[in-house]
Amino acid sequence: MSDNFCILPFVHLATHPNGDVTPCCESHLLPKNGSKKLELNSNTIDEIRNSQSFLELKKSFKENKKHKSCNVCWDRESNGIESRRERENKKHGVNQITKGYFIEKQPLLNVELRLGNICNAKCLICQPHSSSKWNEDVDVLKKIKFNVVGDYDRYVIEKEWYRGDDLYSQLINNYETVNHLWFNGGEPTLIKEHYSFLQKLIDVGKSKNITLDYNINGSMVPDELIKIWKHFHHVGVTISLDDIDDRLYYSRFPTTFESVKKSIRKLEKHDITYTLIPTISLLNIFNVVNIYEYFENNFKKGNPPGINFVIHPAFLSINNLSNEHKDKVIENLEKSTINKSHIENIIFHLKKKQTHGLGPFKVFINSLDKKRNLDITKYLPEYKDTFSKSNILL
């Protein structure tokens, strides 16, 4: 589109594990009335959607102005990369006529439900805020003298909004327009309360008009959930699959590649749409071509694989590679046959200025390897020189 309008603040909400709400997952704008923050444990959906900060954001878009809370999209667009704003506008058919309808009616269509931080994995790219399992390892990182940056304090959600009925009841009783629910976590398949929520949508006759999407780690796909899914209009499952073979065990510890393959085959057996999305980081950048080629050759019943990038913690971003390594990765990418858009996206992130170099990465990995009784060089052999004894000091 030629203007700066974004549909998401008018039709969408993104919830977060601790009860925070943002207009979308790319924005950090929180609902506030003055200095008072609104959140799911204390406020209704209506109060949040009509908070002063959210109204101010919508006013900016009505006036065709770029809002500072949406810099992720503006940055991508200025570099010729499609943003979520552009994708969502296309998906909803936004034009000069329909835009007026969305502004006036503001129908709540889509809700992202991040059901806490309960998880059975402690992926290297994750943190306690999104994985309760990570709490087992936070103490070792506190001992590090070098600041690795990130939120690695022990994190326990005391007010578990996703355990109660309040939000679910609001969605069932007050928002007839909701036609899409997206579940994430933590690991959403572990949160049984949302099974009851889905069953209530079935019982009141709304399920057939609702599409469900999930983002899971793929370690399990419960039969109980598959049975429930059959009552909904459509179900799509995204599996965060960062690598293949034993490399996955290391990067998404302790998830095994065999368990994920078993889950994928179960989805195929029940004709459930799935998409595999690796999150590109220092952990898999040297294997990225092999990953996509494996997906395309072995999981042909799924959607074309997607792509994601580590943003936090920033020291795991691929921009921290040396220029020499970046050039080698780019050369390998350009010789490959993988999706051209993915190649462009990876190169875009590679060419960003180094933020940390490899120093914090090495300290981080050495500390966690000792705690988890692992050795990065056995799983990611490309780092043998980087983690050799002669090169271990910063």
Side-chain angles (χ1 to χ4, degrees), residues 162-179:
Y162 46 89
R163 299 290 192 189
D165 292 330
D166 188 47
L167 179 69
Y168 302 137
S169 295
Q170 290 181 61
L171 292 173
I172 292 171
N173 299 320
N174 302 344
Y175 296 96
E176 294 292 331
T177 54
V178 171
N179 58 28

Side-chain angles (χ1 to χ4, degrees), residues 106-152:
Q106 300 188 33
L108 183 60
L109 303 176
N110 314 311
V111 183
E112 299 179 27
L113 293 167
R114 289 174 175 79
L115 305 179
N117 69 336
I118 303 301
C119 193
N120 58 351
K122 39 186 176 182
C123 308
L124 285 170
I125 61 172
C126 199
Q127 295 174 356
H129 185 271
S130 296
S131 169
S132 57
K133 189 79 172 169
W134 244 103
N135 285 328
E136 297 174 354
D137 292 346
V138 293
D139 289 344
V140 70
L141 294 182
K142 288 182 179 179
K143 298 176 183 178
I144 299 175
K145 295 181 180 179
F146 188 93
N147 180 18
V148 297
V149 197
D151 300 318
Y152 294 105

